[in-house]
Amino acid sequence: MNGVTKYSLRAWVLVLALAPTILIGVLLGSFFTLTRFSELDHSLLVRGKNIVSPLAMAASYGLSTSNRDYSQRLIDMIHKQNSLFVQLIAIFDNQNQVFATSQYRQNFDLIKLPINRDLTEGINIEHIGDHVIMRAPIYTLPTPAVDTNFTPRTQLGYIVLQINKHEALVSQYRGAGWAFIIVLIGVQLNLLFTFRLMKNVTRPITDMVTAVAKIREGKLDTRLQGELIGELDHLKRGINAMASSLAEYHNEMQQNIDQATSDLRETLEQIEIQNVELDIAKKRALEASRVKSEFMANMSHELRTPLNGVIGFTRQLLKTPLHDNQRDYLNTIERSATNLLSIINDILDFSKLEAGKMVLEKMPFALREAVDETMQLLSTAAAEKELELVIDIDERVPDSLNGDVMRLQQILTNLVNNAIKFTDKGSVRLQLDAAKETPERVLIRGEVADTGIGISKEQQSMLFQAFGQADSSISRRFGGTGLGLVITKRLVNHMDGQIGFTSSEGQGSTFWFTLSIEKSPFTISDPLILEQVYGQSALVFEPRLLTRNNLVHQLDSWHIKATACGSSSPLQQHLNGQHYNHALIAWRKLKPSDGMMETLSVIRNHCDNLVLLLDSNNSEVANQMAGLGIDHCLTLPMSERRLFASLTNKDAQHLPAPQLPMPLGRDKKALKTLAVDDNRANLKLIDTLLSELVEEVDTLSSGTQAIQRAQEQEYDIIFMDIQMPDIDGIQATQRIRQQSRNTRTPIIAVTAHLLGAEREQVLASGIDDILTKPIDEEGLEQVIDRWTSTASPVLTQVVDWELALTQSGGNNELAKEMLKMLMDSIPETRELIDNHLQLGDRTAMLKTVHKLHGATCYSGVPGLQKLCADLESQLKQGNSTAQLEPEILELLDELNKVESAAETILAA
C-alpha cells in the first residue's frame, strides 16, 4: 500500500490515461501490420505460381525436341515481362543439367533440385534468404488424337523460377511505418485530452491538498478560490466550511484554555497554601506520634514496674508455708496481675502496629513444638470449661521454619483463647495445613473452629475494629479490651498473610488465616524414629469423638494398628483375649474412683505400656494415680512428639509434683552480682530473687553509682535497668565498657519495654542480653546460667554469640552447629572469591557472595553479614569486580577474622 501512495495524483492520471491508449494502439497496429505482411507473401507466391505453371507447359516442347533456341527465347521473354520480381529462370533436364537459363553467371547449385527430392507432388517452393525458389516439373505434352486413354506422361525435366522478395519487403515496411504513425497520432491526441483533464481536475485537487496541509499546520484562515466543475466545487465548499468551523473551535478552545489556566493558577496557589498547612499538620502529627510513642513507652515502663513488684513478691510469698485460703488469695492476685499485664501488652502491641514500629524477628524454630507450647498454656482454661481442645497438624506441613515464633504464638493464642472464651460446651479445634509449598517457603493455612455462641451478621463487621467486640453492652459476659482480633489481623497482614472468619449465631465460629513462612535450612528438632513403633498395636479409650479420631489418625500415620472405643462396654470387648503394646486411656474426673482403679488394673494386664490422658496439667491427679501401674501421664491436647515419647520411652513419666515452698538450704552459685534499678520495689525484688540463686548481691539505685562501683569492684554479672533519672542504663553500660574493672563482664538489661529498633540499639550499646519485666524466676536463672557457665562461648567483636543464640531459637547446640558449618565452608569460599577476583567474573562472584550471605544469616556474624549484603547489592547494580576490589579484600579479611573467632568459640 505504501508503494501506491507514494505516487501523485498527476502521475496516476497520466498512467491511467496513456497506458490503455498505447496498449490498444500497439496491439491494433501489430495486428494489421502482420496481416499485411501475410497478404503480401501470399500474393507473391500466387504470382510466381501463375508464371511457373504455364511456363513449364510451354517449355515441354523445347525440352522434348531438344530445341534450346526455342526454350531460350521463351524464358527470356517471360523474364523480361516480369523482371521486377523474377531474378532467374532456368530449365533442367532429367540428368539435372541446365538446359536453358536466363542468366549464365548464376551459381546453379543453389537452385538445383536436390538428389533426394522429386516433383511428383507438383510445384516445390523453397525460401532462401530474400529469394523464393519455385520448381515445377516439365512433362511431355499429350497427343489426344494418338492417345485417347491419357496414359501417364513422362517427366522431361523441371523449370526453376527464382523470385526476388525486395518489392514485397518494401511494401511491408511501408505498411508498418503507416501503422506506427497512426498509433503515434492517437497517443498525441490522448495526451492532449489528458492534460486538459489534469488542468480541470488534478490541479484543483492539488490545491485542496495544499490547503488542507496549511489548515493542519494551524493556518485556519486558508480558503480555496475559483470556480470548479461538478463535485470538485462541492468539495471546495466543504473544505472552506471545515476551515471556518475549525477556526471558530480554535478560538473558543483558546478562550477556554486561558480561563482554565487562570483557574489552575488560582488552584495551584490554593494547593500551595494547603501544602504548607499540611506540612505543618504533618509535623504536628509526627510530633504527636513521637509524644504518643514516648508516652506509651513510659506508661508501659511505669505500669510494668509496679506489676513487676506485685507479681514477683506474690510468687515469693507463694513459696512460704500458707493456709489454703491464703494460697487461693495469692493465686487470685497473681492471675489478676497477669491479666492486667496481658492487657498492657495488647495496648503496647497495638501501639507498635499502629505506628508501624513492629519489627518481626527471623530465627529458626520448630513449628510443632511452638504450637504444643502455646496449646499447653491454654489447655487449663479449656479443661476448666470441660471443652475438647484438639490439635490437627497436617503431616505435609514442614516442622523446621524460620520466622518470628513469638508472633506466631501470639496469633494462635489470641484466636484459640477467644474460641475458649466464647464457647461454653463442645470443642475447640486448631487445624494447620500446607496450602502451597515451594523449595524456599510454605504457605500455612490455619483454622480455629469452635462450637460456641457464634456471631450475628450485624455484629460481624465490628470484629476487627480496635476496642470493639460483638457484645459491647455494660452487662457483657466475657470481658477483654477488644484488641485481640485487631492485633491478630494486623500481625497476620504484617506477615504477608490474610485472615477471615465464618460464623453462624448459636452454632459456632471458624477463624482462618494464612501465613507465608520461610523454611529453615537446618533441622531444628530431631526426626522421629518411626521404626521403633512400626507394626505395634494400641488400644485407645477416649469418649470424645474429635480427640479419639485425631489420636487414631496419628497412630495410623505411624503404622500402629489402633483399636478405638468411646465407652466402657466396647472397651471390655476389646480387652477380651487381646494384648496390646500400648493403651491410651483418657480420664476426666479429678479423683480416681474404685471403678476406675479396677478398670486400669484390668487394662494394665492387657498392655505393655499404659498411658493416662488428662485434660490439664493436674499434677495432684497424676500423682494419685502413680501407684496404679501407669507408665506415662500426658495432658491433652496431644502433641505428636510427646505422644511418640510416651510410646518409646521405657522409663515411667509423670506430671511434675505440686510446687512446694523452696527449701532455704538451696545451693547457690558462687557468683558476685550487681543489680541497678531506680525503683526500690523492683530493686528489692531482684535482690530477693538473686539472693536465692547466688552467694553475693550488691544493689544500687542510679547509673552514676553503678559506674563508680564498676571501677572499684569486679563482678561476675551485672543487671542494669534502662530507664533511670540521672544516667540511663545504656550510657552507664558504655561508660563501664570504656573504663572499669568490668569491661568484659556480662551486662543484662532489665527493662519493661523494647521495640524492635530499640532492642537493636540496646544490644549495640554493649549490653549482652535483655531480661523483660516482670522478672520471671526461671528466666532469671536461665540468664545467669547462660552467661556465667564455663562452657558458654564468649562474645567477640566478630561473632555475636547472643545473636547466634537468638537466630537458633535459643538452642545452644544448634547455634554451635550452624557456626561450625559456616567455618567449614570458609576455605572453599575464600578460594572461590580469589579465583573470581582474578578472572573478573562478576556473575560467579555474585553467586558465591549470595550463598555466603545466606549462611551468615544464622551464625551470629553481623559484621560479615553486612559486608556480604553491601557487596551483593553493589554486584547486582552492575559494578565489576575490579571496581569492588577494596570491598572484596575487606570481605576476605573479615572471613579470616570469623574463622579465627569461630575456632576459639567452638573450642570453649
Side-chain angles (χ1 to χ4, degrees), residues 400 520-527 814 817:
S400 299
S520 175
F522 306 100
T523 302
I524 307 302
S525 54
D526 296 332
L814 180 59
E817 181 182 352

Side-chain angles (χ1 to χ4, degrees), residues 105-357:
R105 295 179 182 179
Q106 181 72 30
N107 184 6
F108 298 107
D109 293 336
L110 294 176
I111 63 175
K112 283 183 179 182
L113 182 66
I115 298 174
N116 58 352
R117 191 180 303 171
D118 56 32
L119 300 174
T120 57
E121 296 181 0
I123 299 174
N124 174 261
I125 300 174
E126 183 179 358
H127 296 269
I128 301 177
D130 295 337
H131 302 86
V132 178
I133 298 174
M134 304 180 72
R135 301 181 184 93
I138 300 175
Y139 294 98
T140 58
L141 293 175
T143 306
V146 178
D147 188 1
T148 59
N149 294 325
F150 296 100
T151 58
R153 295 177 292 169
T154 304
Q155 182 177 340
L156 300 176
Y158 61 92
I159 186 169
V160 177
L161 178 64
Q162 183 176 353
I163 301 172
N164 191 348
K165 296 170 61 176
H166 291 166
E167 184 180 357
L169 290 174
V170 170
S171 298
Q172 290 175 354
Y173 293 153
R174 188 181 296 114
W178 280 110
F180 176 75
I181 291 171
I182 293 172
V183 171
L184 187 60
I185 292 172
V187 170
Q188 290 176 348
L189 290 175
N190 184 267
L191 282 174
L192 178 62
F193 291 115
T194 300
F195 282 115
R196 182 69 179 174
L197 175 66
M198 291 171 57
K199 180 179 179 181
N200 293 330
V201 177
T202 59
R203 183 174 297 173
I205 293 177
T206 304
D207 294 340
M208 293 178 187
V209 172
T210 304
V212 171
K214 291 181 179 179
I215 293 173
R216 185 177 58 188
E217 293 173 358
K219 300 176 182 179
L220 301 180
D221 57 347
T222 303
R223 299 292 184 274
L224 291 171
Q225 305 297 334
E227 295 294 330
L228 303 179
I229 60 174
E231 287 80 1
L232 292 177
D233 190 62
H234 294 297
L235 182 59
K236 179 198 74 173
R237 294 177 184 177
I239 292 175
N240 289 339
M242 180 189 68
S244 300
S245 300
L246 288 176
E248 295 176 0
Y249 174 75
H250 180 268
N251 294 333
E252 182 181 355
M253 183 180 65
Q254 187 62 42
Q255 294 176 1
N256 294 335
I257 290 175
D258 294 339
Q259 181 64 36
T261 303
S262 177
D263 295 341
L264 180 62
R265 188 178 293 110
E266 295 178 1
T267 303
L268 290 175
E269 292 176 356
Q270 295 177 359
I271 291 176
E272 186 175 358
I273 296 173
Q274 291 177 357
N275 285 338
V276 174
E277 295 175 351
L278 288 174
D279 187 57
I280 296 174
K282 178 182 177 182
K283 291 180 180 178
R284 291 175 179 173
L286 291 175
E287 179 64 18
S289 177
R290 186 192 63 79
V291 172
K292 175 184 175 183
S293 299
E294 184 176 350
F295 171 76
M296 293 300 299
N298 291 333
M299 284 301 299
S300 172
H301 180 270
E302 296 301 326
L303 290 172
R304 285 172 181 263
T305 297
L307 278 177
N308 180 46
V310 172
I311 296 175
F313 282 111
T314 300
R315 291 173 179 172
Q316 287 297 107
L317 191 57
L318 285 171
K319 298 176 184 179
T320 62
L322 298 169
H323 297 299
D324 292 340
N325 289 339
Q326 294 173 332
R327 184 174 298 278
D328 184 49
Y329 297 155
L330 289 175
N331 286 330
T332 302
I333 293 173
E334 184 184 13
R335 283 196 300 270
S336 300
T338 303
N339 291 336
L340 179 59
L341 180 62
S342 176
I343 294 174
I344 295 172
N345 289 337
D346 284 346
I347 296 175
L348 186 60
D349 286 340
F350 178 74
S351 175
K352 292 178 186 177
L353 289 167
E354 193 177 44
K357 293 185 177 181

